[in-house]
Structures are given as C-alpha cells and as structure tokens.
Amino acid sequence: MAITLADAKLNTQDDLDLTVIDEFRKSSWLLDNLVFDDVVSPAGGGATLTYGYTRLITERPAQFRALNTEYPKAQAARKRFTVDLSPLGGAFEVDRVLSNLGAAATNETEFQMNQTIKSARAFFSDQVINGKRVTTPGAEAGFDGLDKALAGSTTEMGAGASLDWTGSAIGSDAGKANDALDILDEFLSLLDGTPSALFGNKKTIARVRSLARRAGYYDRSPNSFGQKVETYNGIALVDLGEKAGSISPVIPVETRDVDGAGAGGNITGLSDLYAVRLGTDGFHGVSTVGGQLVRQWLPDFTTAGAVKTGEVELGPVAVALKATKAAAVLRNIKVQ
C-alpha cells in the first residue's frame, strides 16, 4: 500500500502528532507529495530493514519488420537494487525552568521542536539528492541519492559542457531564450512521462522561472496550505533549500572543470537541475509496514531531573528509483 504524509495524518489521533506531520509537509513540497511504499517488514526484531527492487535501465525498442524477415533481437535491461531503511531526525534538551517560559507558540520546547523538524526536513531533501549509502559493517545507514543514481545514465544530460542561462547571457535576446527553452524541453523529454517536479536551488529555479514566463508557461496556484506553488507547463518548480545546519544549498552552485581540461577550463557558478516523476513505478519513498512515518517525543517534566530530552523522527525511510527514466539531471547550468 502506498501512502503520503497526508494519508499518515488521517490515521493520527494525537493533536501534537498532527501538528508535527503538518510541519513536515507545509515547508517541503517533496515530503508533502512523495509517495511511500509501506511494504518493508522489520523481520528479526528490526535487524533487517531492506527493500529490494528491480530498476528498468534500458527500454526495449520496437521497429518495422520487412516481410519474410525476423525482428532484430534486442532486450530490455533491468538491474537489481536494494536499499536499507534508516530513521532520521534529531534530539534536543530543555531545562524544566525554561520549558514553558513565554507564550506557548514561542517557548523553548516549541522552539527546539520546530528547529528539529526543520533540520530533519532539510536533511531528507539533502539525502534525496546527495545521499551516499553507508555500508560499513555495523554502521549501515542512509541511501544513495539522485546525483549518484543518475551519474552516467541515459537521463544525465550536459555532463561534458556548460549552459549559460544567466540573465546577462540571455538578456532580452529572444533567440537565446528560445534556445534555452529548447534544451529544457529536450531534457524533460528524457523522462518516461511528464515529471512531477523540477528540483533546483534558488538561482536555478529563478532561471527556469524566467524562461517559463517568456514562453507563457509560468503559473502559480495554492496548495492545501494556501502556499503558492510555481509551475513550468504544469511541472512544479521546487527549491530544495539549504542543507541542515548550513546556508549551503542542497543542490550546490560551484566551480567545475567541465571538459577535464585542467585549471584553465574551470567555470564558476555552475549548478544542476533535476526532474522527477513521482509514483510507485517511478521515484518514491519506502517505509515499514504499518509504521508511523513521523513520530515525536516531548520532554517529560513529570519525573525528577532538571534537563529532559525531546526527539523528532521520520522513518525508518529510504527512496527508490524504479526506472532510470523516471528521473533526469541537467548538468552544468551557469546561473551566476
């Protein structure tokens, strides 16, 4: 059965749990829309939290056949993958004297809870893009992100060159804008269906927004929380924000040697743009059977002890890319 955080909310009766789920959802388009396949059974007392799946690597082509001849032999290609589910979140400590000082919406417990949720959201987004599975025996955790999964794949575009989409490069030149739009549409056509979203950072999304306006494909509409969601031709434009505890964007803007020519070939201000099609046959989350996606523990000040601990946890979760063509990455876009 596939569920979202909105579905998980329907099965929650505790008001605080509802609030925590909403906090995860309303500040993260990804967590609000990602579908979780809750099929992993924690066998062996939780020792095994592994999800195995087959990824479609290459689709089977089709063609005409002349009479009295056979079709050329060709096969679709699949590859077996596994991913281990891991819980993520954080813990905080609050002194009982500080716990309820001030208004309920701004006291220390509420502040620390909100900051822990914010950090967990940011960390999950970071892992979806940049995650690298830890395989050290006894310390296995995490999952591979899209940056690693798409490297060298048929849906990685622009790895050996750069695209200058800066305002100074395109300016008011309609021809350059149309060229950029052609590349963007070519990139989107790599997927096996209409993508659900484009993931970038503030600068990359700003450049796509500019192109969308020029083409008349830009729109804004409210989500279930009343927040405006921007779209390019119906595809959500999502800024994944900054990494947890950092001001560095999840999808970096950096200097790269694109053509491998050495120091003289370094280009500044380059970033990547990701496209994903969400769904259990595309890109989706994975969770445990019947488990709570989001849990929280408030500090318990009813017992002795001046300093108490609170926690927020998402999972155990992981992500899976069922088909290579359900996600794509456009590399080396110059955005500044």
Side-chain angles (χ1 to χ4, degrees), residues 6-335:
D7 297 324
K9 178 181 173 180
L10 298 177
N11 292 325
T12 301
Q13 297 180 353
D14 187 282
D15 288 342
L16 183 57
D17 285 342
L18 289 173
T19 301
V20 172
I21 290 174
D22 279 348
E23 286 299 318
F24 271 98
R25 292 178 58 206
K26 70 184 182 182
S27 296
S28 172
W29 184 97
L30 175 59
L31 279 170
D32 191 26
N33 290 271
L34 187 65
V35 174
F36 288 86
D37 197 7
D38 61 339
V39 295
V40 176
S41 178
T48 303
L49 287 172
T50 301
Y51 178 77
Y53 65 98
T54 301
R55 181 183 302 170
L56 176 61
I57 303 297
T58 306
E59 295 183 355
R60 168 67 173 86
Q63 64 260 6
F64 289 110
R65 179 183 66 82
L67 295 178
N68 299 316
T69 65
E70 298 293 338
Y71 288 112
K73 302 301 185 292
Q75 303 294 123
R78 298 180 296 175
K79 188 175 181 180
R80 187 70 174 169
F81 288 85
T82 61
V83 62
D84 293 328
L85 278 64
S86 301
L88 66 92
F92 59 91
E93 292 184 332
V94 178
D95 190 290
R96 63 190 175 196
V97 174
L98 301 175
S99 62
N100 291 310
L101 290 180
T106 58
N107 65 46
E108 188 67 14
T109 300
E110 185 71 15
F111 171 74
Q112 294 296 339
M113 177 71 77
N114 287 336
Q115 289 298 305
T116 306
I117 294 170
K118 176 183 175 183
S119 178
R121 284 196 313 255
F123 183 75
F124 181 77
S125 296
D126 182 21
Q127 295 308 296
V128 164
I129 299 298
N130 304 308
K132 289 180 173 59
R133 182 180 181 184
V134 177
T135 58
T136 305
E140 296 90 347
F143 48 81
D144 290 336
L146 289 174
D147 182 53
K148 181 176 180 180
L150 297 175
S153 73
T154 57
T155 55
E156 181 185 42
M157 182 175 170
S162 64
L163 300 169
D164 194 341
W165 283 5
T166 57
S168 58
I170 295 179
S172 59
D173 190 322
K176 291 182 178 179
N178 286 334
D179 289 344
L181 283 165
D182 287 345
I183 292 173
L184 180 57
D185 286 339
E186 180 185 354
F187 164 61
L188 297 179
S189 72
L190 294 177
L191 277 74
D192 55 7
T194 302
S196 306
L198 291 171
F199 293 153
N201 51 47
K202 284 184 175 62
K203 293 183 180 295
T204 310
I205 295 301
R207 302 318 310 152
V208 177
R209 182 190 302 119
S210 175
L211 296 175
R213 284 173 173 158
R214 293 168 187 261
Y217 286 165
Y218 177 77
D219 192 18
R220 297 175 69 203
S221 57
N223 62 12
S224 57
F225 294 99
Q227 300 164 326
K228 297 293 185 181
V229 176
E230 299 178 303
T231 60
Y232 168 78
N233 200 20
I235 303 166
L237 302 178
V238 181
D239 169 20
L240 289 181
E242 288 75 37
K243 296 183 178 183
S246 170
I247 59 172
S248 300
V250 167
I251 301 176
V253 179
E254 55 193 3
T255 298
R256 298 173 180 171
D257 180 10
V258 175
D259 59 4
N266 285 347
I267 301 175
T268 62
L270 297 183
S271 191
D272 301 328
L273 182 68
Y274 292 82
V276 294
R277 179 179 61 78
L278 302 183
T280 53
D281 63 339
F283 182 71
H284 66 88
V286 187
S287 60
T288 56
V289 176
Q292 285 183 254
L293 272 175
V294 176
R295 301 184 69 188
Q296 53 73 35
W297 294 266
L298 283 177
D300 182 8
F301 296 106
T302 63
T303 59
V307 180
K308 299 296 185 180
T309 300
E311 293 182 84
V312 175
E313 189 167 85
L314 174 68
V317 293
V319 294
L321 180 62
K322 288 285 181 64
T324 299
K325 286 194 171 185
V329 58
L330 180 58
R331 303 285 192 190
N332 302 319
I333 304 170
K334 186 170 177 59
V335 293

